[in-house]
């Protein structure tokens, strides 16, 4: 009897084409470069899932862009003013990690 339920033969059910993987990597590198260029700037980000967020890009790594949300968005993520005893509706320190592949558009807010 095998020690692990995953031992034995495997069957590949999906494998990304090499040319598609290269295209994804070029796209990710381009988005990473743009996010790095606009680090610490206020932006509006649109995702491929139809969501939009406003905030400031505070960090970028190989997989994510980290967006400190504007107060309007930050309040929407909290369960309500009574969930936290020291709730301040004018302060938001919510940082949302967004996957680079999920970004559809980035607009600079002026």
């Amino acid at each position: 009897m095998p020690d692990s339920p995953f031992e034995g033969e495997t069957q590949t059910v999906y494998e990304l084409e090499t040319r598609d993987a290269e295209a994804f990597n070029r796209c990710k590198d381009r988005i990473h470069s743009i996010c790095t260029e606009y680090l610490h700037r206020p932006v509006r980000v649109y995702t491929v899932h139809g969501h939009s967020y406003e905030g400031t890009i505070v960090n970028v790594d190989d997989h994510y862009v980290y967006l400190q949300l504007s107060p309007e968005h930050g309040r929407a993520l909290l369960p309500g003013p009574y969930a936290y005893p020291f709730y301040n509706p004018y302060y938001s320190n919510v940082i949302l990690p967004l996957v680079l592949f999920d970004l559809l558009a980035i607009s600079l807010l002026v």
Side-chain angles (χ1 to χ4, degrees), residues 24-39:
F24 278 133
N25 284 327
R26 283 192 306 273
C27 179
K28 184 183 73 154
D29 291 344
R30 182 168 178 248
I31 295 169
H32 182 277
S33 175
I34 290 168
C35 289
T36 302
E37 182 180 345
Y38 292 101
L39 196 61

Side-chain angles (χ1 to χ4, degrees), residues 35 57 59-61 63-67 96-100 103:
C35 289
I57 297 175
N59 194 16
V60 182
D61 64 24
H63 304 286
Y64 300 96
V65 57
Y66 298 89
L67 191 68
L96 182 66
L98 297 169
V99 178
L100 292 176
L103 303 185

Side-chain angles (χ1 to χ4, degrees), residues 39-90:
L39 196 61
H40 305 296
R41 303 279 301 270
V43 295
R44 180 177 295 129
V45 175
Y46 299 91
T47 69
V48 296
H49 305 291
H51 301 287
S52 69
Y53 304 97
E54 287 186 12
T56 302
I57 297 175
V58 294
N59 194 16
V60 182
D61 64 24
D62 290 340
H63 304 286
Y64 300 96
V65 57
Y66 298 89
L67 191 68
Q68 183 171 11
L69 298 180
S70 63
E72 299 82 38
H73 283 295
R75 286 196 306 268
L77 296 176
L78 298 176
Y82 304 109
Y84 302 99
F86 303 107
Y87 176 76
N88 182 347
Y90 302 104

